[in-house]
Amino acid sequence: MTDRTQSAAFGVAATEPGARVLSGMQPTGDSLHLGSYMGALLNWVRTQEQFDAYFFIPDLHAITVPQDPAQLRQAVRRTAAQYIAGGIDPERSTLFVQSHVPEHVQLAWVLMCQTGMGEASRMTQFKDKSAKGGADSAGVGLLTYPILQAADILLYQPHGVPVGEDQKQHIELTRDLAQRFNHRFGETFRIPEPIIPEVGARILDLQEPAAKMSKSASSPNGLINLTDTDKQIAKKIKSAVTDDGTEIRFDREAKPGVSNLLTIYSVLTGKTVGDIVAEYQGKMYGHLKVDLAEIAVQHLGPVRDRTSELLDDPAELDALLAKGAAKARDVATVTLTEAYQKVGFLPGT
Ligand code: AMP
Ligand code: TRP
């Protein structure tokens, strides 16, 4: 996507001085995967060129489902390392861990008190996750998850939030809560826009192209993790499920498997899907897969290697995250103080 489309998708003047974006990805699973990398991270990297960017690791969100403490610590560092290896520049963008900025939880409480039960329980992610173990046994944190997400966002007054398609509903709720608060207590929060990539917003499972690629994939071959070896990456692409017929063309309905490979190809090379289809006219699915396997290895291999280099020095990574948290708090505290004052809390000493 060109910078121009990016700005157009943004809906506000991207050149506005100090225009800000914010986003985060949960530190769960074994690693970020090709879906979150292409649907979110690559888009973040593009936005940091133009905007005052804030990227964080939502560890508070991660504990809405059970986590092993040692694994969680490791996952947070690994996610931070993957952000940087994927192209987030911690000098240019503010990179931090959510639990280091207590204002997120403080604002979340205020917003929870503005949210209806029905409104919260209608969220698709809550319905999906709570359905797994039965709604009654789901933790309350799963229900309030999107409200904490709204607090994450509104504290920084961002113009845009770069995410994959599945987060659209949470951004809608964020906008509703901000509008409600502003209406009730006076102008406090900026109403943010979702920034969803035109290509790559929904990468599908390589084995089950009816489902999105996700860490809960039914087969490990459906999912490429950013920690995968070159051999694993190549094997998973070469064994991707393709569709009946032989013709390589983009058709999400009739050819979801091939269309998914074309999407991945397009995002990783910057070529348009149309150009790729033209290039492969008369060729077989196998040709496309062999070439894409090589492209993916060339693209993802260095990200994996840089991640492990960064993880070799956890003290350096922690210092960087502490610096980011201090910068984030400077902004978050201004918004929280205003929101507290607007709802009628007495100023503290
Ligand atoms: P998650 O991995 O579910 O925590 O999502 C992290 C970010 O990646 C969010 O912005 C998602 O919208 C995006 N994302 C996750 N899975 C995919 C996928 N299969 N295709 C595109 N974007 C995705
Ligand atoms: N819910 C998001 C996800 O699953 C993660 C997230 C938490 C987030 N807070 C956020 C994303 C704020 C954008 C902005 O990926």
Side-chain angles (χ1 to χ4, degrees), residues 201-241:
R202 189 175 157 83
I203 300 298
L204 305 176
D205 187 295
L206 297 172
Q207 288 300 315
E208 251 184 80
K212 71 166 187 174
M213 185 179 283
S214 97
K215 34 209 166 207
S216 47
S218 52
S219 148
N221 286 334
L223 168 79
I224 294 181
N225 279 316
L226 294 193
T227 44
D228 281 355
T229 61
D230 289 354
K231 226 170 135 185
Q232 285 169 317
I233 298 170
K235 182 171 160 251
K236 288 177 187 178
I237 298 228
K238 287 183 194 161
S239 59
V241 166

Side-chain angles (χ1 to χ4, degrees), residues 82-115:
Q82 288 180 329
Y83 284 7
I84 298 170
I88 299 301
D89 175 357
E91 294 298 323
R92 174 179 258 195
S93 301
T94 304
L95 175 63
F96 65 100
V97 177
Q98 185 187 31
S99 63
H100 293 174
V101 184
E103 286 80 2
H104 289 238
V105 178
Q106 292 174 286
L107 182 63
W109 177 258
V110 174
L111 296 177
M112 273 182 232
C113 299
Q114 317 298 322
T115 312

